[in-house]
Amino acid sequence: MGDLRIGIVGAGTMGGEIAFIATQAGFPVIMKDIEQRFLDAGINKTKQIYEFKVKRRRMSPEEMDEKIRLISTTLNYDGFADADFVIEAVPENLELKQKVFAELEKACPDRAILATNTSALSITKIAEKTTCRDRVVGMHFFNPVSMMRLVEVIRGAETSDSTVDATCALAEAMGKSPVKCADSAGFIVNRLLCAAMLEAIRCESEGLLPRAEIDNALVKPDAGLPIGLFKMADQLGIDLLYKVMKILEDAFGERLAVPEIIKNLHDQGALGVKSGKGFYEYGKP
Amino acid sequence: MENRELVVSRILTAVVAEARRLVAEGVATAEDVDAAMTNGALFKKPPFAYTREIGEDEMNRRLSEYAEKYGPRFNP
Protein backbone atom coordinates (compact mmCIF):
# COMPACT_ATOMS: atom_id res chain seq x y z
CA MET A 1 0.00 0.00 0.00
CA GLY A 2 2.98 2.32 0.75
CA ASP A 3 3.74 3.06 -2.89
CA LEU A 4 0.23 4.08 -3.94
CA ARG A 5 0.11 7.33 -5.90
CA ILE A 6 -2.86 9.43 -4.92
CA GLY A 7 -4.59 11.95 -7.18
CA ILE A 8 -6.69 14.71 -5.67
CA VAL A 9 -9.05 16.73 -7.89
CA GLY A 10 -10.18 20.03 -6.39
CA ALA A 11 -7.71 21.87 -4.18
CA GLY A 12 -10.17 23.59 -1.86
CA THR A 13 -10.16 23.23 1.91
CA MET A 14 -11.12 19.57 1.60
CA GLY A 15 -8.49 18.90 -1.08
CA GLY A 16 -5.80 20.55 1.03
CA GLU A 17 -6.83 18.59 4.12
CA ILE A 18 -6.87 15.30 2.21
CA ALA A 19 -3.40 16.08 0.83
CA PHE A 20 -2.29 16.45 4.44
CA ILE A 21 -3.54 13.06 5.64
CA ALA A 22 -2.25 11.34 2.49
CA THR A 23 1.27 12.79 2.69
CA GLN A 24 1.38 12.34 6.45
CA ALA A 25 0.87 8.63 5.77
CA GLY A 26 3.73 8.82 3.24
CA PHE A 27 1.77 8.69 -0.03
CA PRO A 28 2.89 10.82 -2.99
CA VAL A 29 0.08 13.14 -4.11
CA ILE A 30 -0.75 14.82 -7.39
CA MET A 31 -3.23 17.64 -6.91
CA LYS A 32 -5.28 19.10 -9.76
CA ASP A 33 -7.42 22.20 -10.03
CA ILE A 34 -8.52 24.52 -12.82
CA GLU A 35 -6.60 27.66 -11.76
CA GLN A 36 -3.17 28.21 -10.22
CA ARG A 37 -4.63 30.31 -7.39
CA PHE A 38 -6.81 27.37 -6.29
CA LEU A 39 -3.79 25.06 -6.29
CA ASP A 40 -1.84 27.61 -4.23
CA ALA A 41 -4.71 27.85 -1.73
CA GLY A 42 -4.89 24.06 -1.42
CA ILE A 43 -1.14 23.68 -0.80
CA ASN A 44 -1.33 26.53 1.71
CA LYS A 45 -4.04 24.69 3.59
CA THR A 46 -1.82 21.58 3.75
CA LYS A 47 1.16 23.67 4.88
CA GLN A 48 -0.90 25.37 7.60
CA ILE A 49 -1.76 22.02 9.14
CA TYR A 50 1.87 20.87 9.03
CA GLU A 51 3.10 24.20 10.42
CA PHE A 52 0.74 23.83 13.35
CA LYS A 53 2.27 20.42 14.07
CA VAL A 54 5.79 21.83 13.85
CA LYS A 55 4.81 24.66 16.20
CA ARG A 56 3.49 22.13 18.69
CA ARG A 57 6.80 20.24 18.30
CA ARG A 58 5.03 17.16 17.00
CA MET A 59 7.16 17.27 13.85
CA SER A 60 10.52 18.72 12.79
CA PRO A 61 10.69 21.40 10.07
CA GLU A 62 12.79 18.99 7.95
CA GLU A 63 10.12 16.32 8.22
CA MET A 64 7.50 18.87 7.20
CA ASP A 65 9.50 19.88 4.09
CA GLU A 66 9.91 16.23 3.18
CA LYS A 67 6.14 15.69 3.44
CA ILE A 68 5.30 18.76 1.39
CA ARG A 69 7.75 17.65 -1.31
CA LEU A 70 5.48 14.61 -1.78
CA ILE A 71 2.88 16.92 -3.36
CA SER A 72 2.99 17.90 -7.02
CA THR A 73 0.35 19.99 -8.77
CA THR A 74 -1.17 20.26 -12.23
CA LEU A 75 -3.77 22.31 -14.09
CA ASN A 76 -4.59 19.43 -16.45
CA TYR A 77 -4.40 15.72 -15.76
CA ASP A 78 -0.60 15.42 -16.19
CA GLY A 79 0.61 12.75 -13.82
CA PHE A 80 -2.78 11.07 -13.44
CA ALA A 81 -1.67 8.32 -15.84
CA ASP A 82 0.30 6.91 -12.85
CA ALA A 83 -2.38 7.46 -10.22
CA ASP A 84 -3.58 4.39 -8.33
CA PHE A 85 -6.29 6.08 -6.34
CA VAL A 86 -8.05 9.38 -7.04
CA ILE A 87 -10.12 11.38 -4.58
CA GLU A 88 -12.39 14.00 -6.12
CA ALA A 89 -13.26 17.03 -3.96
CA VAL A 90 -14.74 19.59 -6.40
CA PRO A 91 -17.87 21.64 -5.51
CA GLU A 92 -21.13 19.75 -4.83
CA ASN A 93 -22.66 19.90 -8.29
CA LEU A 94 -23.77 16.70 -10.00
CA GLU A 95 -23.04 17.79 -13.61
CA LEU A 96 -19.58 19.01 -12.62
CA LYS A 97 -18.76 15.79 -10.79
CA GLN A 98 -20.04 13.66 -13.68
CA LYS A 99 -17.79 15.62 -16.05
CA VAL A 100 -14.77 15.17 -13.76
CA PHE A 101 -15.35 11.40 -13.52
CA ALA A 102 -15.62 11.06 -17.31
CA GLU A 103 -12.29 12.94 -17.58
CA LEU A 104 -10.73 10.78 -14.86
CA GLU A 105 -11.70 7.58 -16.66
CA LYS A 106 -9.71 8.79 -19.68
CA ALA A 107 -6.75 10.19 -17.72
CA CYS A 108 -6.16 7.36 -15.23
CA PRO A 109 -4.97 3.78 -15.67
CA ASP A 110 -7.56 0.96 -15.72
CA ARG A 111 -6.54 -0.14 -12.23
CA ALA A 112 -7.23 3.24 -10.61
CA ILE A 113 -10.00 3.58 -8.06
CA LEU A 114 -12.01 6.75 -8.48
CA ALA A 115 -13.48 8.06 -5.23
CA THR A 116 -15.77 11.03 -4.66
CA ASN A 117 -15.80 13.02 -1.44
CA THR A 118 -19.43 14.05 -1.93
CA SER A 119 -21.38 14.69 1.26
CA ALA A 120 -24.81 14.38 -0.30
CA LEU A 121 -24.92 13.39 -3.97
CA SER A 122 -25.60 9.87 -5.24
CA ILE A 123 -22.50 7.80 -6.04
CA THR A 124 -24.47 5.86 -8.65
CA LYS A 125 -25.38 9.09 -10.45
CA ILE A 126 -21.84 10.50 -10.24
CA ALA A 127 -20.58 7.28 -11.93
CA GLU A 128 -23.29 7.35 -14.61
CA LYS A 129 -21.20 8.98 -17.37
CA THR A 130 -18.34 6.48 -17.01
CA THR A 131 -17.94 2.88 -18.18
CA CYS A 132 -15.90 1.92 -15.10
CA ARG A 133 -18.68 2.13 -12.52
CA ASP A 134 -17.25 -0.85 -10.62
CA ARG A 135 -14.25 1.35 -9.72
CA VAL A 136 -16.27 4.40 -8.59
CA VAL A 137 -16.92 4.72 -4.86
CA GLY A 138 -17.88 7.31 -2.25
CA MET A 139 -15.24 8.37 0.27
CA HIS A 140 -16.87 10.93 2.53
CA PHE A 141 -14.44 12.67 4.86
CA PHE A 142 -15.58 14.92 7.71
CA ASN A 143 -14.42 18.44 8.38
CA PRO A 144 -11.74 19.09 9.62
CA VAL A 145 -10.33 15.97 7.93
CA SER A 146 -7.09 16.18 9.90
CA MET A 147 -9.08 15.79 13.16
CA MET A 148 -12.15 13.68 12.39
CA ARG A 149 -11.59 9.93 12.23
CA LEU A 150 -14.68 8.92 10.26
CA VAL A 151 -14.75 8.12 6.55
CA GLU A 152 -18.06 6.91 5.12
CA VAL A 153 -17.23 4.46 2.32
CA ILE A 154 -20.24 4.42 0.03
CA ARG A 155 -21.05 1.64 -2.38
CA GLY A 156 -22.78 2.77 -5.60
CA ALA A 157 -25.15 0.44 -7.48
CA GLU A 158 -22.26 -1.07 -9.48
CA THR A 159 -19.29 -0.57 -7.15
CA SER A 160 -17.31 -3.82 -6.76
CA ASP A 161 -16.38 -5.46 -3.47
CA SER A 162 -12.68 -5.07 -4.23
CA THR A 163 -13.16 -1.32 -4.76
CA VAL A 164 -14.93 -0.99 -1.40
CA ASP A 165 -12.23 -3.04 0.33
CA ALA A 166 -9.37 -1.07 -1.22
CA THR A 167 -11.05 2.19 -0.20
CA CYS A 168 -11.43 1.02 3.40
CA ALA A 169 -7.79 -0.13 3.40
CA LEU A 170 -6.58 3.26 2.15
CA ALA A 171 -8.70 5.09 4.75
CA GLU A 172 -7.12 2.93 7.46
CA ALA A 173 -3.63 3.51 6.08
CA MET A 174 -4.34 7.24 6.42
CA GLY A 175 -5.28 6.76 10.07
CA LYS A 176 -9.04 6.88 9.61
CA SER A 177 -11.91 4.63 10.73
CA PRO A 178 -13.95 3.69 7.67
CA VAL A 179 -17.61 2.70 7.91
CA LYS A 180 -19.35 1.04 4.96
CA CYS A 181 -22.75 2.23 3.85
CA ALA A 182 -25.17 2.05 0.93
CA ASP A 183 -25.79 4.85 -1.55
CA SER A 184 -28.79 6.25 0.30
CA ALA A 185 -29.62 9.96 0.73
CA GLY A 186 -27.57 11.58 3.50
CA PHE A 187 -25.61 8.34 4.02
CA ILE A 188 -25.41 7.86 7.82
CA VAL A 189 -24.20 10.95 9.65
CA ASN A 190 -25.93 13.71 7.70
CA ARG A 191 -29.25 11.87 7.77
CA LEU A 192 -29.12 11.34 11.54
CA LEU A 193 -27.85 14.86 12.26
CA CYS A 194 -30.73 16.28 10.22
CA ALA A 195 -33.23 14.12 12.14
CA ALA A 196 -31.78 15.58 15.37
CA MET A 197 -31.80 19.13 13.99
CA LEU A 198 -35.43 18.83 12.87
CA GLU A 199 -36.52 17.64 16.31
CA ALA A 200 -34.62 20.52 17.95
CA ILE A 201 -36.41 22.98 15.67
CA ARG A 202 -39.79 21.40 16.52
CA CYS A 203 -39.06 21.59 20.26
CA GLU A 204 -38.25 25.27 19.94
CA SER A 205 -41.30 26.06 17.82
CA GLU A 206 -43.56 24.31 20.34
CA GLY A 207 -42.17 26.69 22.95
CA LEU A 208 -40.49 24.02 25.08
CA LEU A 209 -37.19 25.92 25.31
CA PRO A 210 -35.44 28.76 23.46
CA ARG A 211 -32.70 27.63 21.05
CA ALA A 212 -29.79 28.77 23.24
CA GLU A 213 -31.11 26.65 26.09
CA ILE A 214 -31.67 23.66 23.81
CA ASP A 215 -28.04 24.01 22.69
CA ASN A 216 -26.88 24.23 26.30
CA ALA A 217 -28.85 21.14 27.27
CA LEU A 218 -27.37 19.13 24.38
CA VAL A 219 -23.76 19.56 25.48
CA LYS A 220 -24.45 18.39 29.06
CA PRO A 221 -23.26 14.85 29.90
CA ASP A 222 -26.76 13.31 29.77
CA ALA A 223 -27.04 14.30 26.09
CA GLY A 224 -23.35 14.16 25.17
CA LEU A 225 -23.22 16.20 21.96
CA PRO A 226 -19.95 18.04 21.22
CA ILE A 227 -21.80 21.26 20.32
CA GLY A 228 -25.42 22.48 20.27
CA LEU A 229 -27.33 21.71 17.08
CA PHE A 230 -28.28 25.33 16.26
CA LYS A 231 -24.64 26.35 16.69
CA MET A 232 -23.52 23.41 14.58
CA ALA A 233 -25.91 24.47 11.81
CA ASP A 234 -24.46 27.99 11.83
CA GLN A 235 -20.90 26.66 11.64
CA LEU A 236 -21.72 24.21 8.88
CA GLY A 237 -23.56 26.91 6.91
CA ILE A 238 -27.32 27.16 6.44
CA ASP A 239 -26.85 26.93 2.65
CA LEU A 240 -25.17 23.54 2.92
CA LEU A 241 -27.71 22.33 5.48
CA TYR A 242 -30.54 23.46 3.19
CA LYS A 243 -29.02 21.50 0.30
CA VAL A 244 -28.66 18.31 2.36
CA MET A 245 -32.16 18.64 3.84
CA LYS A 246 -33.64 19.13 0.36
CA ILE A 247 -32.01 15.87 -0.76
CA LEU A 248 -33.39 14.12 2.35
CA GLU A 249 -36.86 15.59 1.75
CA ASP A 250 -36.83 14.34 -1.86
CA ALA A 251 -35.79 10.87 -0.71
CA PHE A 252 -37.84 10.40 2.48
CA GLY A 253 -40.67 12.94 2.28
CA GLU A 254 -42.50 14.78 5.09
CA ARG A 255 -40.56 13.21 7.96
CA LEU A 256 -37.28 14.82 6.90
CA ALA A 257 -38.70 17.83 5.01
CA VAL A 258 -36.87 21.20 5.04
CA PRO A 259 -38.46 23.21 7.87
CA GLU A 260 -39.82 26.73 7.30
CA ILE A 261 -37.14 28.37 9.46
CA ILE A 262 -34.27 26.89 7.41
CA LYS A 263 -35.98 28.02 4.20
CA ASN A 264 -36.43 31.53 5.59
CA LEU A 265 -32.85 31.89 6.87
CA HIS A 266 -31.59 30.58 3.56
CA ASP A 267 -33.71 33.00 1.51
CA GLN A 268 -32.65 35.94 3.72
CA GLY A 269 -29.00 35.06 3.19
CA ALA A 270 -28.57 34.39 6.91
CA LEU A 271 -26.18 31.52 6.26
CA GLY A 272 -24.60 31.21 9.68
CA VAL A 273 -21.19 32.24 11.03
CA LYS A 274 -19.82 33.12 7.58
CA SER A 275 -22.53 35.72 6.91
CA GLY A 276 -22.63 37.11 10.45
CA LYS A 277 -26.11 35.79 11.15
CA GLY A 278 -27.89 32.46 11.15
CA PHE A 279 -29.75 31.00 14.11
CA TYR A 280 -27.54 33.34 16.16
CA GLU A 281 -26.00 36.79 15.57
CA TYR A 282 -22.22 36.95 15.10
CA GLY A 283 -21.55 40.57 14.18
CA LYS A 284 -19.80 41.44 10.91
CA PRO A 285 -18.12 38.50 9.15
CA MET B 1 -40.70 15.66 33.10
CA GLU B 2 -38.88 18.95 33.05
CA ASN B 3 -38.76 20.66 29.61
CA ARG B 4 -34.99 20.41 29.44
CA GLU B 5 -35.04 16.65 29.95
CA LEU B 6 -37.92 16.23 27.51
CA VAL B 7 -36.07 18.16 24.79
CA VAL B 8 -32.92 16.05 25.20
CA SER B 9 -34.96 12.84 25.22
CA ARG B 10 -36.96 13.84 22.13
CA ILE B 11 -33.85 14.76 20.13
CA LEU B 12 -31.88 11.61 21.02
CA THR B 13 -34.97 9.45 20.50
CA ALA B 14 -35.62 11.00 17.08
CA VAL B 15 -32.10 9.92 16.15
CA VAL B 16 -32.83 6.39 17.41
CA ALA B 17 -36.02 6.15 15.31
CA GLU B 18 -34.22 7.29 12.16
CA ALA B 19 -31.20 5.06 12.89
CA ARG B 20 -33.48 2.00 13.22
CA ARG B 21 -35.03 2.77 9.82
CA LEU B 22 -31.57 3.22 8.30
CA VAL B 23 -30.50 -0.20 9.58
CA ALA B 24 -33.80 -1.82 8.51
CA GLU B 25 -33.27 -0.44 4.99
CA GLY B 26 -29.84 -2.10 4.91
CA VAL B 27 -27.90 1.17 4.57
CA ALA B 28 -25.48 0.19 7.35
CA THR B 29 -25.22 -2.08 10.39
CA ALA B 30 -26.16 -0.85 13.88
CA GLU B 31 -22.54 -1.19 14.93
CA ASP B 32 -21.37 0.95 12.00
CA VAL B 33 -24.07 3.57 12.65
CA ASP B 34 -22.78 4.01 16.20
CA ALA B 35 -19.16 4.12 15.02
CA ALA B 36 -20.09 6.75 12.42
CA MET B 37 -21.94 8.97 14.92
CA THR B 38 -19.05 8.63 17.39
CA ASN B 39 -16.22 9.36 14.95
CA GLY B 40 -18.02 11.66 12.50
CA ALA B 41 -20.37 13.66 14.74
CA LEU B 42 -18.61 13.17 18.11
CA PHE B 43 -21.81 11.90 19.78
CA LYS B 44 -21.08 10.41 23.20
CA LYS B 45 -24.46 8.66 23.08
CA PRO B 46 -24.83 7.24 19.57
CA PRO B 47 -28.31 5.74 19.00
CA PHE B 48 -27.77 2.04 19.72
CA ALA B 49 -25.49 2.64 22.72
CA TYR B 50 -28.09 5.09 24.03
CA THR B 51 -30.79 2.44 23.59
CA ARG B 52 -28.70 -0.06 25.61
CA GLU B 53 -28.15 2.59 28.27
CA ILE B 54 -31.83 3.25 28.90
CA GLY B 55 -32.92 -0.30 28.02
CA GLU B 56 -34.57 -1.71 24.91
CA ASP B 57 -38.02 -1.94 26.57
CA GLU B 58 -37.94 1.62 27.85
CA MET B 59 -36.86 2.82 24.38
CA ASN B 60 -39.75 0.97 22.72
CA ARG B 61 -42.17 2.42 25.26
CA ARG B 62 -40.80 5.91 24.66
CA LEU B 63 -41.00 5.55 20.87
CA SER B 64 -44.66 4.49 21.10
CA GLU B 65 -45.50 7.32 23.47
CA TYR B 66 -43.74 9.93 21.30
CA ALA B 67 -45.27 8.53 18.10
CA GLU B 68 -48.71 9.04 19.62
CA LYS B 69 -47.96 12.51 21.02
CA TYR B 70 -45.66 14.01 18.38
CA GLY B 71 -46.15 12.09 15.16
CA PRO B 72 -45.30 9.01 13.10
CA ARG B 73 -41.62 9.93 12.75
CA PHE B 74 -41.22 8.19 16.13
CA ASN B 75 -42.94 4.98 15.03
CA PRO B 76 -40.89 2.13 16.47
Side-chain angles (χ1 to χ4, degrees):
Chain A
M1 174 137 274
D3 46 8
L4 278 191
R5 292 184 59 82
I6 302 199
I8 297 174
V9 185
T13 302
M14 269 297 182
E17 293 249 6
I18 295 167
F20 166 78
I21 57 164
T23 51
Q24 190 187 38
F27 297 113
V29 163
I30 171 101
M31 194 146 73
K32 190 234 175 242
D33 211 315
I34 49 174
E35 285 184 40
Q36 188 59 43
R37 61 190 173 110
F38 297 141
L39 286 174
D40 293 343
I43 295 266
N44 274 337
K45 178 79 217 171
T46 313
K47 277 188 184 154
Q48 262 175 28
I49 306 171
Y50 274 122
E51 275 161 4
F52 184 73
K53 282 180 77 98
V54 169
K55 212 168 132 194
R56 303 279 295 268
R57 297 184 186 281
R58 295 212 185 112
M59 182 177 264
S60 70
E62 294 75 27
E63 238 180 305
M64 172 176 96
D65 292 342
E66 199 179 297
K67 294 294 189 190
I68 289 173
R69 271 199 302 273
L70 286 170
I71 307 175
S72 51
T73 59
T74 175
L75 291 171
N76 41 56
Y77 286 100
D78 285 349
F80 277 69
D82 297 325
D84 302 288
F85 200 108
V86 177
I87 303 168
E88 164 275 314
V90 305
E92 289 280 26
N93 172 303
L94 181 61
E95 286 74 34
L96 174 63
K97 286 188 192 271
Q98 285 177 333
K99 179 173 158 282
V100 167
F101 274 77
E103 291 167 358
L104 283 171
E105 182 177 16
K106 288 200 191 98
C108 301
D110 288 345
R111 64 170 189 277
I113 288 173
L114 309 178
T116 171
N117 177 45
T118 185
S119 62
L121 298 171
S122 157
I123 310 308
T124 308
K125 282 190 187 147
I126 290 173
E128 223 167 55
K129 300 276 159 69
T130 72
T131 59
C132 60
R133 295 169 196 164
D134 58 317
R135 290 188 281 122
V136 177
V137 65
M139 194 176 194
H140 182 208
F141 292 92
F142 289 73
N143 218 348
V145 180
S146 46
M147 315 275 289
M148 300 293 268
R149 277 172 50 208
L150 180 66
V151 177
E152 288 175 333
V153 175
I154 304 125
R155 178 193 293 269
E158 296 180 49
T159 310
S160 71
D161 289 348
S162 61
T163 296
V164 170
D165 291 345
T167 307
C168 289
L170 176 65
E172 279 170 4
M174 296 192 300
K176 300 296 168 195
S177 304
V179 155
K180 292 179 198 171
C181 68
D183 191 13
S184 163
F187 312 131
I188 302 171
V189 171
N190 281 342
R191 177 169 166 188
L192 297 186
L193 279 180
C194 283
M197 185 74 228
L198 289 170
E199 200 59 29
I201 289 171
R202 290 187 187 107
C203 287
E204 188 196 31
S205 69
E206 289 169 27
L208 282 175
L209 282 184
R211 64 187 63 154
E213 284 181 42
I214 294 178
D215 273 359
N216 281 336
L218 288 172
V219 298
K220 296 270 158 53
D222 62 323
L225 267 61
I227 177 177
L229 289 165
F230 293 99
K231 246 182 227 159
M232 190 191 293
D234 278 354
Q235 288 187 6
L236 204 70
I238 303 295
D239 46 348
L240 182 66
L241 185 63
Y242 179 84
K243 231 181 198 176
V244 174
M245 283 184 163
K246 190 77 191 60
I247 289 173
L248 289 168
E249 174 179 322
D250 291 344
F252 302 109
E254 172 80 33
R255 182 178 91 234
L256 293 173
V258 187
E260 205 59 32
I261 187 162
I262 298 277
K263 248 179 239 151
N264 291 341
L265 289 173
H266 180 260
D267 294 349
Q268 291 160 17
L271 304 181
V273 177
K274 64 183 165 194
S275 56
K277 185 184 183 307
F279 281 109
Y280 298 100
E281 304 268 353
Y282 298 91
K284 282 204 167 75
Chain B
M1 198 189 263
E2 197 197 332
N3 281 0
R4 205 194 76 86
E5 272 171 59
L6 176 62
V7 164
V8 168
S9 166
R10 270 180 60 173
I11 292 169
L12 294 184
T13 305
V15 174
V16 170
E18 197 58 37
R20 285 188 179 191
R21 276 188 283 267
L22 194 152
V23 171
E25 292 162 12
V27 176
T29 64
E31 201 183 16
D32 280 351
V33 167
D34 271 14
M37 291 310 282
T38 304
N39 295 325
L42 307 180
F43 271 42
K44 292 205 180 69
K45 296 179 186 243
F48 297 99
Y50 178 59
T51 301
R52 279 194 300 278
E53 181 188 311
I54 69 166
E56 190 80 31
D57 292 346
E58 167 59 18
M59 179 54 76
N60 289 335
R61 191 204 59 73
R62 206 179 278 186
L63 283 164
S64 305
E65 181 198 326
Y66 289 0
E68 203 170 295
K69 279 190 186 157
Y70 309 117
R73 63 183 178 280
F74 284 105
N75 275 338

